Amino acid sequence: MIAILQPLVPHYREHFFNRLQEQAPFDLYCYDQAGMQQQNLSAGNTTVKALPAWSVGPFVLYNPLRFFRKDYKVLVLMLNFAHLSTWMILLLKPLLKQKIILWGHGISVKRYVQEEQHPSRLLKWMMQLADATWFYTPKEMTLWQQQMPGMKAVALNNTISEVEKIIQQSDIDKAVIREKYNIHAKRVLIYCARFNETGRRIDLLLQLIAETDPAQYAFIIIGAGKYKPDFSAWPHVHDFGAVYDPALKRELFGMADLYFQPGWIGLSVVEAMAYGKPVCTFKRSEAVLQCVEYSYIRDGVNGMIFNNMAECLYLLDQLSDDDITVMGQRARQFVQQHLTMTAMVDNALHSLNSHCV
């Protein structure tokens, strides 16, 4: 029997847990289901067990006794050095006789530039105490394998629920859908992410909107959150708010040419590429933070990574329809080859079978 710890289960993660459950039964413990609404997330349809927990700032203390059961042979805990109870379990591991897998990014999004050169010593210590590690993407796994040769690890290739269904859909008639929504600009960009994090650099989104010709560019906005600006002053911005209806989402992505998100880009990469949209963003730096899924973008291949706004404006103007079509095809192919939910579940099962048997 396996026990897995997570703060909550949003809709984009439910299929991973539900499909993994079919092949490797587990109990899923969540300590922050109340945070779903605060983070503007839609809850996933997955059975969970509530876990008492207390938090002060970044530090979390949950009830570790729930995991001290003889029938739990494997614990999948979070690779987070602020989880004080996880340290307790790791230090007691020789007595508990349980296999422990740590699952996480392996690096701080906010300190990525620094930790890419000097990885966290606390995370290293945690992984040394554990039996194996699940990383979100191959880049961070490779980074740690250079620091810890021979470590037992797997990159799950983080993806979203319903991704197979999206890539199997046929393309809809872009002209017909644009006519339906009265959008007639030459180029349509779509943004689809929560406005809950200042790192998304909405100031750069607003700058691009302000500096583009409404006759040439239109913007589709999907998302809600406390940092969301008022787009009503811009005639070429079409704001749809939070959207979870797959039929509507298909239409909105279907009439777009490019996906654009300035910063803090994460699983939106997967969704956009699954719809066949090249992903456009800015280069990771101390000023522009990016999540680990940023590494899925190949500049000029399945998306575009800009150094600054001047370059962004210039390259967007230079893009041809053929350029966009080719990058969009490569984006969808990348998802088909690396980012299906089947692949993510298989990667987790491989680790459970090879590292925990």
Side-chain angles (χ1 to χ4, degrees), residues 262-297:
W264 205 272
I265 196 162
L267 280 172
S268 299
V269 171
V270 181
E271 184 173 36
M273 288 186 177
Y275 279 110
K277 306 302 164 184
V279 177
C280 300
T281 190
F282 287 90
K283 184 177 180 180
R284 175 188 276 136
S285 66
E286 293 186 0
V288 179
L289 305 177
Q290 301 287 7
C291 301
V292 295
E293 292 83 4
Y294 170 81
S295 64
Y296 295 157
I297 306 169

Side-chain angles (χ1 to χ4, degrees), residues 88-322:
M88 186 188 310
I89 294 172
L90 286 168
L91 292 171
L92 291 174
K93 182 175 173 293
L95 301 176
L96 300 174
K97 297 181 180 180
Q98 294 170 313
K99 298 285 187 177
I100 299 177
I101 295 174
L102 297 177
W103 179 13
H105 295 111
I107 197 166
S108 166
V109 173
K110 295 183 177 180
R111 298 183 298 275
Y112 199 106
V113 174
Q114 296 86 355
E115 290 189 13
E116 193 173 16
Q117 301 300 320
H118 304 287
S120 166
R121 292 182 179 179
L122 289 174
L123 291 185
K124 183 177 182 178
W125 187 19
M126 290 188 90
M127 289 186 282
Q128 287 174 330
L129 291 170
D131 292 283
T133 305
W134 289 358
F135 292 97
Y136 278 51
T137 76
K139 182 177 180 182
E140 289 70 39
M141 182 177 71
T142 300
L143 177 70
W144 275 107
Q145 285 175 331
Q146 293 169 353
Q147 296 289 321
M148 301 169 61
M151 73 178 299
K152 295 179 179 179
V154 65
L156 296 188
N157 274 347
N158 199 34
T159 192
I160 59 173
S161 299
E162 303 287 0
V163 67
E164 279 103 340
K165 184 179 292 186
I166 295 173
I167 59 179
Q168 290 168 3
Q169 292 173 346
S170 58
D171 291 332
I172 58 179
D173 191 316
K174 188 178 292 187
V176 171
I177 299 301
R178 288 185 182 182
E179 187 66 35
K180 175 181 176 179
Y181 290 97
N182 197 30
I183 296 176
H184 302 293
K186 177 184 176 182
R187 189 77 75 228
V188 178
L189 281 67
I190 186 169
Y191 169 99
C192 181
R194 290 168 291 144
F195 292 88
N196 66 331
E197 172 57 60
T198 57
R200 296 201 194 279
R201 294 302 305 268
I202 306 307
D203 58 315
L204 294 176
L205 173 62
L206 292 174
Q207 184 180 350
L208 181 62
I209 291 170
E211 296 189 21
T212 49
D213 180 358
Q216 298 295 316
Y217 288 90
F219 294 83
I220 297 170
I221 304 295
I222 300 175
K226 61 181 179 180
Y227 297 119
K228 184 172 183 175
D230 182 1
F231 291 105
S232 61
W234 309 103
H236 55 318
V237 176
H238 306 266
D239 183 6
F240 290 85
V243 175
Y244 297 104
D245 177 13
L248 176 56
K249 247 188 180 181
R250 185 188 177 205
E251 289 188 342
L252 299 182
F253 272 93
M255 64 176 156
D257 298 299
L258 301 164
Y259 182 82
F260 178 79
Q261 185 179 324
W264 205 272
I265 196 162
L267 280 172
S268 299
V269 171
V270 181
E271 184 173 36
M273 288 186 177
Y275 279 110
K277 306 302 164 184
V279 177
C280 300
T281 190
F282 287 90
K283 184 177 180 180
R284 175 188 276 136
S285 66
E286 293 186 0
V288 179
L289 305 177
Q290 301 287 7
C291 301
V292 295
E293 292 83 4
Y294 170 81
S295 64
Y296 295 157
I297 306 169
R298 305 286 188 266
D299 185 29
V301 178
N302 58 18
M304 302 181 73
I305 299 175
F306 310 117
N307 289 301
N308 50 55
M309 184 57 71
E311 182 181 77
C312 171
L313 289 163
Y314 174 77
L315 291 177
L316 287 178
D317 282 342
Q318 297 301 308
L319 269 181
S320 68
D321 291 343
D322 288 341

